[in-house]
Amino acid sequence: MKRGHRPQPPPEPSSSRAATVTKRKHHCLQQEQSRSSKSNSNSRHAKRCRTRIVSESETLTVVPDPPRTLPASNRFERLHSSSTPRGKQRHKKSSARDCNNRQWVSSSCDTSNCEDKVVVVSYNILGVENALKHPDLYYKVPCKFLDWDRRKILICEEINHYNASILCFQEVDRFDDLDNLFQNNGFKGVYKARTGEAYDGCAIFWKDKLFTLLHQENIEFRSFALRDNVAQLCVLEMIQNQSESELYTERSMSPPTLSRRLLVGNIHVLFNPNRGDIKLGQVRIFLERAYELSQEWGDIPVVIGGDLNSLPQSAIYQFVASSKLDIHLHDRRKISGQLEYPSQCRGRFQNQNPARSLLYRWSDEERRLATGSGGATHVQHQLKLSSAYHGVPGSCRTRDNHGEPLATSYHSKFMGTVDYIWHTDELVPVRALETLPIDILRRSGGLPSKKWGSDHLALVCELAFADDIKGI
């Protein structure tokens, strides 16, 4: 019944009417005091939330985002169309939920007969120290969303939804926390911290029931005069199904194929946009060693995850994808694409025409760092790599013309793609998890957020072994 249309009660005796009036006055006074108390309490709470101490002499004002209605359990729920409409309010809630979903998209390959599949995740999880040192990147992010104790739980819950097999994490500076969380979920991991004064590093985790670690090594780029960044390489062997193993033993037969092995690489490339020579040198050495290690273990498949700090439009991306690059066709300061596309997501892959390109001058030292030789002008690697996301068609709302995500990272000074998953021809992408549309990211004001625990989005793909797939 609407307010203002209540039925009138019968008249009261004058004596009881006076008592009732007194009672009502007392009740109204109590309500007013209660409202005043709540208002003061809320005001104090808002004051606390709006100011966060950054250092002893500096404060940062943060305005919290309005609360969202999406429950955590629906974060990865697939979109469904309802046959029973329930009004405008239901439609609005459904739209809000859809905005925060990430959808799986599948390739056109028939993988129904594939027995061996792996789900690979590459994720820059935002180092705790890095977030504290760069508050200008997160001034639109409520302080509670930057809290590591909250973020690590979000990251762990997110990974659980993916049913992941292998994890490549970058910007890890609380490895013990992650190791404890992921051990409870059946993962084992190895960690390599950056050299020098930096606090973060790289970590690889794998499902203990699915893989055995056969070999592990690290690359310290400092030993090549290429700064303090690091990379990891692990050789993993898939654990054969016990029932299948017993069946072969009983029949005195050997398995039809060798044990599945693959090389997993993980790298976080230098950020500095001006030092394209160092960035290219790090990628070159990493890919060279990955190829050598793959050959040492019997030409095994390679899968690589990492933050390359290079855009899909960049020469460094071209180098990884095409295996070669003439450095004199590119400006050292623009070779990663970060200066040319500093803070926006263009979503277009621009091929450079060598005939129209200038021959840029590189010093002998810059050439040595980039190519390994002061007199060389070309750089090359021997791995035949493909991007997992390029291999699975996606939505124009989330992909650029080259098939890569439009954005894998978003904060106040950058929105774009720097994270990738690469694989050799022995592996084929089965499906990939779409990133968030640009308009949805912009609406959030920046990452981390209520739903996501980092300023990057995790890249997730499922890979199958090519020899299992018909027609390949």
Side-chain angles (χ1 to χ4, degrees):
M1 189 174 294
K2 292 183 180 179
R3 188 176 297 174
H5 290 79
R6 294 179 181 174
Q8 297 298 319
E12 299 178 8
S14 58
S15 59
S16 62
R17 191 178 304 161
T20 302
V21 170
T22 304
K23 259 174 139 183
R24 284 179 180 167
K25 284 183 178 178
H26 180 67
H27 179 66
C28 290
L29 182 60
Q30 283 183 327
Q31 284 187 327
E32 194 65 28
Q33 289 173 342
S34 175
R35 279 195 294 267
S36 175
S37 173
K38 285 181 180 177
S39 175
N40 290 336
S41 174
N42 290 337
S43 176
R44 287 193 300 271
H45 176 71
K47 222 175 212 176
R48 286 195 302 269
C49 287
R50 293 174 69 88
T51 303
R52 175 167 59 88
I53 300 299
V54 176
S55 65
E56 292 182 2
S57 60
E58 181 184 4
T59 61
L60 176 67
T61 301
V62 178
V63 180
D65 290 340
R68 298 184 182 178
T69 57
L70 176 64
S73 59
N74 288 335
R75 190 182 305 122
F76 306 94
E77 183 182 35
R78 287 180 177 269
L79 300 182
H80 296 286
S81 58
S82 174
S83 58
T84 310
R86 298 193 179 182
K88 294 183 179 178
Q89 187 176 0
R90 171 65 179 270
H91 177 72
K92 287 181 180 178
K93 286 184 178 180
S94 176
S95 298
R97 181 173 67 248
D98 295 351
C99 288
N100 289 277
N101 280 344
R102 295 183 59 184
Q103 302 298 300
W104 285 100
V105 289
S106 299
S107 73
S108 57
C109 293
D110 179 11
T111 59
S112 55
N113 292 329
C114 294
E115 294 182 0
D116 299 324
K117 299 178 184 178
V118 293
V119 177
V120 180
V121 176
S122 182
Y123 202 173
N124 182 322
I125 63 170
L126 178 56
V128 178
E129 298 297 328
N130 288 341
L132 291 174
K133 287 179 180 178
H134 303 284
D136 56 310
L137 303 183
Y138 312 104
Y139 72 93
K140 293 182 180 180
V141 177
C143 52
K144 63 181 180 180
F145 294 162
L146 288 167
D147 179 67
W148 170 242
D149 288 334
R150 181 183 185 279
R151 291 199 297 116
K152 69 182 180 183
I153 299 301
L154 275 182
I155 291 168
C156 187
E157 290 176 349
E158 179 185 352
I159 297 300
N160 288 341
H161 281 281
Y162 301 147
N163 193 25
S165 315
I166 297 169
L167 313 174
C168 296
F169 285 165
Q170 304 89 41
E171 277 198 39
V172 178
D173 58 4
R174 298 292 190 275
F175 176 74
D176 289 343
D177 288 355
L178 292 176
D179 196 31
N180 290 334
L181 285 171
F182 284 108
Q183 274 190 28
N184 295 333
N185 295 326
F187 284 92
K188 281 190 175 180
V190 291
Y191 174 63
K192 175 57 183 173
R194 280 205 283 171
T195 55
E197 298 179 357
Y199 292 95
D200 64 290
C202 295
I204 295 177
F205 290 89
W206 62 91
K207 265 289 173 66
D208 191 32
K209 68 178 181 181
L210 299 179
F211 298 99
T212 300
L213 177 66
L214 300 181
H215 176 81
Q216 181 241 334
E217 64 181 64
N218 304 311
I219 299 175
E220 293 184 353
F221 292 111
R222 172 186 268 187
S223 61
F224 302 92
L226 292 169
R227 301 293 175 89
D228 290 315
N229 299 77
V230 295
Q232 297 175 289
L233 294 164
C234 289
V235 177
L236 299 177
E237 183 175 65
M238 297 189 77
I239 297 175
Q240 191 179 13
N241 185 289
Q242 188 174 0
S243 60
E244 289 181 4
S245 179
E246 291 172 353
L247 178 64
Y248 290 125
T249 303
E250 289 174 4
R251 295 183 180 180
S252 300
M253 295 171 59
S254 59
T257 58
L258 295 173
S259 298
R260 298 287 196 194
R261 291 176 179 175
L262 70 160
L263 174 65
V264 180
N266 185 25
I267 186 172
H268 190 183
V269 173
L270 177 74
F271 167 76
N272 189 340
N274 291 299
R275 296 310 304 265
D277 51 337
I278 292 177
K279 295 157 84 82
L280 182 57
Q282 290 179 353
V283 173
R284 170 183 57 84
I285 289 171
F286 174 61
L287 297 182
E288 284 176 355
R289 184 53 190 152
Y291 174 76
E292 292 170 358
L293 201 55
S294 168
Q295 296 302 302
E296 291 173 14
W297 285 86
D299 195 16
I300 59 177
V302 177
V303 58
I304 290 170
D307 179 347
L308 298 186
N309 270 314
S310 304
L311 276 61
Q313 302 89 355
S314 70
I316 288 183
Y317 181 97
Q318 293 177 37
F319 168 61
V320 178
S322 67
S323 302
K324 56 187 177 180
L325 188 71
D326 181 352
I327 65 171
H328 278 184
L329 298 179
H330 303 277
D331 186 339
R332 169 180 58 83
R333 296 164 299 176
K334 297 181 180 179
I335 203 168
S336 66
Q338 291 167 296
L339 291 183
E340 194 172 355
Y341 308 91
S343 61
Q344 44 189 316
C345 187
R346 298 291 179 91
R348 296 291 180 268
F349 183 71
Q350 300 177 352
N351 288 311
Q352 293 190 1
N353 184 349
R356 298 178 61 186
S357 299
L358 298 174
L359 291 179
Y360 292 98
R361 297 185 64 179
W362 292 56
S363 69
D364 288 345
E365 176 64 10
E366 290 165 354
R367 282 197 297 268
R368 185 188 65 78
L369 292 173
T371 68
S373 171
T377 61
H378 290 72
V379 61
Q380 190 168 353
H381 69 84
Q382 299 184 70
L383 289 172
K384 294 180 180 179
L385 293 171
S386 301
S387 165
Y389 274 73
H390 175 72
V392 181
S395 164
C396 61
R397 295 187 67 207
T398 58
R399 303 287 191 92
D400 66 10
N401 280 1
H402 200 55
E404 295 293 353
L406 285 169
T408 64
S409 178
Y410 178 38
H411 52 65
S412 65
K413 293 188 177 180
F414 176 78
M415 176 188 284
T417 292
V418 291
D419 306 284
Y420 306 92
I421 296 176
W422 301 87
H423 61 88
T424 50
D425 292 343
E426 299 89 354
L427 297 168
V428 176
V430 176
R431 56 180 184 153
L433 190 71
E434 290 282 54
T435 49
L436 295 175
I438 298 301
D439 57 322
I440 302 305
L441 279 175
R442 285 203 179 102
R443 207 176 302 165
S444 73
L447 299 175
S449 67
K450 182 178 180 181
K451 303 300 178 185
W452 311 104
S454 174
D455 60 347
H456 289 243
L457 296 172
L459 295 189
V460 190
C461 70
E462 185 173 39
L463 301 171
F465 287 84
D467 55 19
D468 270 355
I469 300 177
K470 295 177 181 178
I472 294 184

